[in-house]
Amino acid sequence: MTFRDLHLVEPILEALAEQGYENPTPIQEQSIPMLLRGKDLLGCAQTGTGKTAAFALPILQNIFLDLERNSRNRKIKALIVTPTRELAIQIDESFTAYSKYTNIRNTVIFGGVKQGKQTQALKRGVDVLIATPGRLLDLINQGFISLRDIDYFVLDEADQMLDMGFIHDIRRLLTYLPDNRQSLFFSATMPPSIVKLSDKILGEPEKVTIKPEQATAERVEQAIFFVKKRDKTKLLIHLINTEDANTSLVFSRTKHGADKIVKLLRRNDIMAEAIHGNKSQNARQRALGNFKEGRTKVLVATDIAARGIDVSKLSLVINYDLPNIPETYVHRIGRTGRARESGVAYSFCDMSELDFLRDIQKLIKQTIPVVQDHPYMDDGSGDDYEPDRRPRNNKWQNRRNKNNNNRGGGNGRSGGRRR
Ligand code: AMP
């Protein structure tokens, strides 16, 4: 299957060729024909699957054909709402790239920066608006944005929206949208609260599910390092120095933790920067730019800040802390091995994180191989724990044994890459 088989117009095909896309990804193959026919879509898929192009290309094509008929119709026709600034910027960049050979205009608005440049762009007239919820409602209330002419509405990363407490903003936003529109709803997970929200937004949608394990977990080489909490930084430095990864993205559960890791890495002469919600938008963009350009080797991120990080040559993801929400693990490892490339994801697991590991393995339906004999291996004999806090029933040893017995070929490594 090629993009030409999907009946996309010439200017879009040309832009895709320039991007180096040869074939559509599964979500693109399935969604584009339905969306070109005007169907609503419920997409269970996450970043890394080619989701952005799956919705952007049909929207652009429809607007392109519309503008050919009526070139003076410069009103906002498509609205894409997404939870984070990084993701919004990235979607905007994708629209810019895919619409390069059309006269379609897109712009992006998000909070945390002055609104002047954003309102100027809106005044010049745009066809496609990409927005985070807070700034969007703000500019609607100030009269800079009208959603009266919206033909296409995309709610992206819906589960993350709810996690971030945007539900009231979304409900308010829906009251501004015309009923007669095509709606697309994407979420990596589909718990009942999300299904309920999607019912409010969609008519009778077509459904496309790209399973996380299909999308990432299968493609990414994963490994667990059992390590004491206090040895995690040493292990991180060891891996960064011994792996042949050009760029590594390290995940920390907390902002404070991220800053601490960066400090320790720098003390060991490793170029590192942190990206999290306490940093200004400019600082985050700068850090991301430095990382993409290869000026920093290691980017340490919290989960929310990492949404939308798209670094094409990202070779290694390290989970310094295991996430307590298993879906987050899939999001994290999806940062590497994007769009069919293979990647590597290492996870550190200390005694307190065993339950998180169990939940993750249940979700991805895989037992993640354990790296044996790395220099900071925690053999469970630990002097790390107060006697009365030692795991009952030797849970630690049991869990470790279970992982070791089901290694699926990933045994015997000492932290070196097996490629
Ligand atoms: P997304 O899931 O939209 O964040 O896309 C993940 C990455 O895959 C981005 O870097 C896209 O530029 C890239 N990508 C999307 N579609 C294709 C395709 N058909 N062929 C190659 N790369 C793609």
Side-chain angles (χ1 to χ4, degrees), residues 3 19-25 28 46-54 87 90 94 98 310 312 338-340:
F3 282 105
Q19 289 297 305
Y21 297 3
E22 285 171 8
N23 304 100
T25 65
Q28 293 162 2
Q46 62 183 60
T47 313
T49 53
K51 168 170 69 102
T52 315
L87 210 41
Q90 195 178 296
S94 297
Y98 306 149
D310 181 15
S312 53
R338 317 214 76 187
R340 295 175 179 176

Side-chain angles (χ1 to χ4, degrees), residues 60 63-64 67 71 73-78 92 95-96 99-100 102-108 120-130:
L60 285 171
I63 295 178
F64 175 78
L67 283 177
S71 63
N73 178 15
R74 190 71 77 188
K75 290 175 179 154
I76 304 172
K77 295 177 256 316
D92 183 59
F95 268 92
T96 304
S99 67
K100 183 170 175 190
T102 72
N103 57 353
I104 297 172
R105 286 197 211 149
N106 52 283
T107 198
V108 60
Q120 273 168 23
L122 289 165
K123 279 183 196 154
R124 281 195 295 272
V126 295
D127 305 289
V128 179
L129 178 63
I130 299 105

Side-chain angles (χ1 to χ4, degrees), residues 39-227:
K39 297 279 186 190
D40 280 6
L41 182 79
L42 177 64
C44 187
Q46 62 183 60
T47 313
T49 53
K51 168 170 69 102
T52 315
F55 66 75
L57 301 178
I59 288 177
L60 285 171
Q61 170 131 332
N62 285 335
I63 295 178
F64 175 78
L65 297 174
D66 184 41
L67 283 177
E68 268 194 337
R69 288 188 290 267
N70 181 4
S71 63
R72 280 178 304 170
N73 178 15
R74 190 71 77 188
K75 290 175 179 154
I76 304 172
K77 295 177 256 316
L79 172 67
I80 292 92
V81 182
T82 191
T84 68
R85 299 174 268 203
E86 283 77 11
L87 210 41
I89 291 169
Q90 195 178 296
I91 294 172
D92 183 59
E93 285 170 356
S94 297
F95 268 92
T96 304
Y98 306 149
S99 67
K100 183 170 175 190
Y101 298 107
T102 72
N103 57 353
I104 297 172
R105 286 197 211 149
N106 52 283
T107 198
V108 60
I109 60 171
F110 46 82
V113 292
K114 292 204 179 103
Q115 68 178 43
K117 271 194 194 147
Q118 298 178 0
T119 54
Q120 273 168 23
L122 289 165
K123 279 183 196 154
R124 281 195 295 272
V126 295
D127 305 289
V128 179
L129 178 63
I130 299 105
T132 54
R135 179 57 57 94
L136 175 62
L137 286 171
D138 199 5
L139 294 186
I140 292 174
N141 290 336
Q142 293 180 53
F144 286 108
I145 294 171
S146 160
L147 301 182
R148 261 200 314 265
D149 299 287
I150 293 293
D151 291 322
Y152 314 98
F153 171 59
V154 182
L155 189 70
D156 188 34
E157 309 264 342
D159 49 355
Q160 188 74 10
M161 291 273 190
L162 296 203
D163 287 350
M164 290 171 74
F166 283 135
I167 184 69
H168 299 295
D169 285 354
I170 301 299
R171 289 219 185 97
R172 262 204 18 248
L173 178 64
L174 294 178
T175 65
Y176 295 112
L177 291 172
D179 291 338
N180 190 11
R181 56 164 206 261
Q182 185 179 13
S183 299
L184 288 65
F185 185 103
F186 290 95
S187 187
T189 55
M190 289 286 166
S193 55
I194 292 289
V195 175
K196 209 167 127 199
L197 180 64
S198 73
D199 283 346
K200 269 206 182 67
I201 295 175
L202 302 168
E204 285 177 5
E206 300 282 347
K207 292 179 185 151
V208 170
T209 300
I210 303 293
K211 290 204 197 96
E213 48 273 48
Q214 242 172 292
T216 46
E218 274 175 12
R219 223 181 35 233
V220 175
E221 182 188 326
Q222 303 162 69
I224 289 281
F225 291 73
F226 287 120
V227 58

Side-chain angles (χ1 to χ4, degrees), residues 337-386:
R338 317 214 76 187
R340 295 175 179 176
E341 285 173 27
S342 61
V344 177
Y346 290 156
S347 300
F348 297 176
C349 180
D350 69 37
M351 161 68 199
S352 67
E353 295 170 306
L354 281 173
D355 287 341
F356 302 157
L357 176 61
R358 185 202 56 211
D359 292 345
I360 288 164
Q361 298 194 135
K362 210 164 126 198
L363 176 78
I364 63 171
K365 299 191 188 83
Q366 286 177 35
T367 304
I368 306 170
V370 176
V371 176
Q372 302 284 344
D373 306 326
H374 64 80
Y376 303 100
M377 178 79 181
D378 183 3
D379 59 8
S381 63
D383 50 359
D384 227 12
Y385 318 104
E386 312 271 328

